Amino acid sequence: MSYKGRGKTQGGKPERSGAQVSRTGLKEGELPFYKQAANILARLERREGSIKNLTIGNDDIKDEDKRSVYALICQTLKFAPVLTRILDANKAMKKEKLGRRAELLMANDMLLSSQGLRRKDADPKMNKAMSRHESSLKRELNRIRQEVRARNDEDLVPLHLRDGASTFRYVRVNNLVSNMDKVLEHFYKEGYEIVTPNRDELHDVLKVRARKLMRDLDLDDVLVFPPGTDLHAHRLFVTGAIILQDKASCMPAHVVQPTPGSMALDACAAPGNKTSHMVSMMANQGKVFAFDLDRFRLNTLVKLTDKAQCKIIEAKCANFLELDPLDPEYASVEFALLDPSCSGSGIVNRMDVLVDSYIALGQGADQAAKPETDKARLANLAEFQTSIVLHAMRFPSIKRISYSTCSVHEEENEAVVARILGAQSEFTLAPRDQVIPSWPRRGLETGGLTKEQAACVVRTLPEDGTNGFFVAGFVRQAPADLDRIREELKALASSDKSAMLPPKDDAEDAVPDINAAYRGNKRKAAGGSAMPTKKEKRHDKKPKPASAVVPNTKSKGKKRPKRKESVAGA
């Protein structure tokens, strides 16, 4: 609803005659604040992208509102379990017909924010409807606080969703842009105290949000900051000199150990932090093939590796399992980093956990976790993970492989390693002294591994101050048997193609092209066709070119060799 200029603006100044101004301050066609945030919750439920991509990277949100929308979404997801209980106890809310997503968002601001309901760009009717129930909602909140003996709002949050007081902030120094000495000097000049505690003193010395840092005890290009340290707006992060990357996620590159001037591959590469880590260790010399099934995620890789100033990456939207290891293009690949889709059971203190918990609320407790389904899913994932590693071992020149998961399940870790060792004889486990030797937590003597083999692999757990993770290294001990490889490839060519894809229910198996689907929805909402335009078809055909993608050889008058069409992004 809009009105003419005889009234006054919110600032009290008279409007110009004839001007059409919305009472909410919104331009024509813009959604009210809470409706826009509710749409983002709906897209998160459909796994259409990450919280950050759907808020900070959303062009439909005003630049000045992006941070506040991001904060509101994160806070609402975090408190969703208790907010759901409060709303469910108020049956009268249903009469307002605000929709559960909007109710959650507005209840968060009304009950947990010191500033209450947002007025700027909000719908006054929605605010008024919500305010009618403020007293009853607050009574229920106070009842729950007494029930759980909450000392503060954080005590209302389930343990697995709380801000991880035990998870340190890890920073990887990007040697393509800076070096460890310069980065340490920069933080020292900013007033950070550089400390050198022993491993068992970390939690005592690096207390939450303390202005301290230390060099990691195991990885020479990683710094450790106290939990709660926020460096997203720091100059070194903005310029690409440092990468915000969990310590466990930095381990695979140190296990595969690619050398400058060599050729390497990352089989399941997006979003690209591990890929850029390999490039950093290779000093931007040589070549890295980066494969991923998802065009949207591959575009993210291109952007992130561009920011990190990686110059030797060729990003390909392709199914790694459909690549021909005997293709001359890959004849010189010596190193392979493999981090395939997994259950994600080791991830802590991440936005993904908030989203998963929120989605589980809508499914109901009896559907949120079914042991039989979980067991079958782990079996499917393990089969896929095994196939990824065995396929990498078919590349005749590969001499070193890292296999990793962000899982704590032995079915995806030790059991997969044991299956791989039993399925071939050309590779063996890398010895302990080549696999983060100073890290104390090693593998489990289970799933078919001996005590000596378990000592050669690495495990991390949240109690170590990092995400739950698993890393194993494989080294070649015998030349590639080309005849055997050809026979195996022939058998694979006639097998079920669906076996070459990650399990469909995997959290990382995203919709192939979210941008295309979203643009279609916008066109449809505007009254047009949902079909893409010719320009958009060209845009969606392959990832955007960037410095991380090797230039087209046609510019040199050469003809690209034909390669089979992959199922990626189909």
Side-chain angles (χ1 to χ4, degrees):
M1 185 175 180
S2 60
Y3 63 105
K4 289 194 175 182
R6 293 183 182 177
K8 294 183 179 182
T9 63
Q10 291 178 349
K13 296 181 181 179
E15 287 290 340
R16 293 180 182 178
S17 177
Q20 299 287 327
V21 180
S22 167
R23 291 187 186 275
T24 63
L26 293 168
K27 295 179 182 178
E28 187 176 352
E30 287 183 343
L31 284 175
F33 181 81
Y34 289 115
K35 284 188 177 180
Q36 192 171 46
N39 285 348
I40 292 171
L41 282 183
R43 296 183 68 191
L44 285 170
E45 291 170 21
R46 297 192 296 268
R47 307 276 190 189
E48 291 188 7
S50 68
I51 301 175
K52 189 164 286 188
N53 285 338
L54 296 177
T55 54
I56 305 299
N58 191 338
D59 292 336
D60 290 334
I61 301 176
K62 297 177 183 177
D63 287 342
E64 63 268 25
D65 289 341
K66 289 183 176 182
R67 290 286 175 186
S68 55
V69 174
Y70 176 78
L72 173 62
I73 294 291
C74 292
Q75 186 80 347
T76 300
L77 293 177
K78 178 179 172 180
F79 285 92
V82 69
L83 292 173
T84 298
R85 283 187 62 188
I86 293 169
L87 292 169
D88 285 346
N90 191 319
K91 306 299 182 184
M93 278 293 301
K94 293 181 180 180
K95 297 179 181 179
E96 304 295 353
K97 297 182 179 180
L98 295 173
R100 178 46 62 98
R101 300 183 189 99
E103 288 174 357
L104 286 168
L105 295 159
M106 298 177 79
N108 177 83
D109 276 357
M110 175 183 283
L111 304 176
L112 302 171
S113 170
S114 59
Q115 299 182 5
L117 285 174
R118 178 184 172 110
R119 295 189 178 186
K120 181 188 175 188
D121 296 340
D123 185 336
K125 291 183 178 179
M126 291 178 68
N127 281 12
K128 188 175 180 179
M130 194 72 186
S131 297
R132 281 196 283 267
H133 304 273
E134 183 172 1
S135 297
S136 60
L137 294 175
K138 285 186 175 179
R139 279 197 302 270
E140 181 62 19
L141 172 61
N142 289 331
R143 189 193 67 76
I144 294 175
R145 278 178 171 150
Q146 292 176 4
E147 177 187 307
V148 300
R149 298 179 181 179
R151 295 163 298 177
N152 50 48
D153 288 343
E154 191 73 11
D155 288 343
L156 297 171
V157 181
L159 289 173
H160 69 289
L161 297 181
R162 294 182 188 178
D163 293 333
S166 64
T167 305
F168 299 114
R169 162 60 73 189
Y170 294 96
V171 166
R172 174 167 64 81
V173 175
N174 181 11
N175 290 316
L176 302 177
V177 177
S178 188
N179 59 54
M180 180 61 76
D181 290 339
K182 289 181 180 179
V183 169
L184 283 172
E185 183 181 4
H186 189 106
F187 281 113
Y188 179 76
K189 288 180 178 179
E190 288 186 351
Y192 281 85
E193 179 186 355
I194 301 173
V195 295
T196 56
N198 296 323
R199 198 179 297 275
D200 56 0
E201 300 174 330
L202 293 182
H203 290 287
D204 294 329
V205 175
L206 296 179
K207 294 183 179 179
V208 178
R209 293 184 176 85
R211 207 165 175 78
K212 297 179 179 180
L213 76 144
M214 62 172 284
R215 293 191 66 163
D216 187 73
L217 299 174
D218 308 289
L219 307 179
D220 59 10
D221 54 358
V222 173
L223 293 173
V224 190
F225 289 78
T229 303
D230 187 1
L231 298 171
H232 286 89
H234 196 280
R235 179 174 172 271
L236 292 180
F237 173 69
V238 173
T239 58
I242 60 173
I243 310 291
L244 305 184
Q245 185 174 355
D246 188 71
K247 173 177 178 172
S249 176
C250 295
M251 289 182 173
H254 281 279
V255 171
V256 74
Q257 301 173 11
T259 54
S262 64
M263 191 174 287
L265 67 80
D266 190 341
C268 312
N273 278 342
K274 297 182 188 71
T275 318
S276 70
H277 195 180
M278 280 204 296
V279 175
S280 178
M281 296 180 75
M282 294 166 67
N284 252 340
Q285 300 172 35
K287 188 172 185 177
V288 175
F289 293 102
F291 305 102
D292 204 273
L293 269 170
D294 191 302
R295 283 189 174 89
F296 178 78
R297 286 165 56 81
L298 198 67
N299 280 330
T300 300
L301 176 143
V302 171
K303 292 175 184 176
L304 289 178
T305 53
D306 264 354
K307 178 183 175 183
Q309 297 190 22
C310 299
K311 307 295 183 186
I312 61 171
I313 297 174
E314 181 171 350
K316 293 190 175 190
C317 191
N319 183 348
F320 177 71
L321 289 175
E322 290 196 339
L323 297 179
D324 181 0
L326 302 181
D327 187 323
E329 185 176 15
Y330 310 121
S332 300
V333 174
E334 296 178 285
F335 304 94
L337 190 152
L338 312 176
D339 189 66
S341 298
C342 71
S343 65
S345 56
I347 299 174
V348 295
N349 195 30
R350 282 186 53 184
M351 297 299 102
D352 294 354
V353 178
L354 294 178
V355 175
D356 290 343
S357 174
Y358 168 69
I359 292 174
L361 280 175
Q363 293 174 339
D366 59 335
Q367 295 180 20
K370 294 183 178 179
E372 310 84 25
T373 304
D374 288 346
K375 189 174 181 179
R377 180 169 178 259
L378 288 177
N380 289 336
L381 283 166
E383 185 176 353
F384 172 73
Q385 292 153 355
T386 303
S387 65
I388 287 283
V389 181
L390 290 176
H391 194 61
M393 290 177 172
R394 296 186 182 107
F395 287 70
S397 296
I398 281 186
K399 59 185 181 183
R400 195 171 183 91
I401 293 171
S402 71
Y403 166 68
S404 59
T405 73
C406 50
S407 171
V408 296
H409 298 304
E410 66 176 73
E411 292 93 334
E412 301 177 88
N413 299 332
E414 287 87 356
V416 167
V417 170
R419 286 173 67 181
I420 291 165
L421 293 175
Q424 50 77 48
S425 58
E426 293 178 2
F427 285 82
T428 188
L429 280 173
R432 173 174 177 153
D433 61 6
Q434 296 179 16
V435 185
I436 325 292
S438 59
W439 181 254
R441 191 182 299 280
R442 312 309 288 189
L444 303 176
E445 189 181 344
T446 185
L449 292 189
T450 65
K451 183 178 180 179
E452 292 74 20
Q453 290 171 330
C456 295
V457 301
V458 164
R459 267 183 173 267
T460 68
L461 293 176
E463 61 199 68
D464 300 321
T466 182
N467 284 318
F469 210 78
F470 176 86
V471 191
F474 296 94
V475 291
R476 183 178 288 280
Q477 63 177 356
D481 184 339
L482 297 183
D483 291 334
R484 177 188 59 80
I485 293 172
R486 291 189 185 96
E487 287 299 316
E488 289 180 355
L489 293 175
K490 186 177 179 181
L492 285 172
S494 59
S495 64
D496 182 9
K497 296 294 182 183
S498 64
M500 296 185 176
L501 295 170
K504 289 184 178 180
D505 61 346
D506 183 66
E508 293 183 350
D509 192 17
V511 178
D513 193 344
I514 299 306
N515 285 338
Y518 184 50
R519 286 192 295 271
N521 291 339
K522 286 178 68 178
R523 286 190 297 271
K524 200 170 182 181
S529 169
M531 296 299 291
T533 62
K534 289 183 178 179
K535 182 178 179 181
E536 288 173 344
K537 284 181 179 178
R538 290 195 300 270
H539 170 84
D540 296 332
K541 191 173 182 181
K542 57 185 178 181
K544 296 178 183 178
S547 61
V549 181
V550 173
N552 195 324
T553 54
K554 286 183 179 179
S555 60
K556 298 180 181 180
K558 296 180 181 179
K559 198 171 183 180
R560 277 187 181 274
K562 283 188 177 182
R563 61 187 182 90
K564 293 181 180 179
E565 193 68 25
S566 79
V567 298

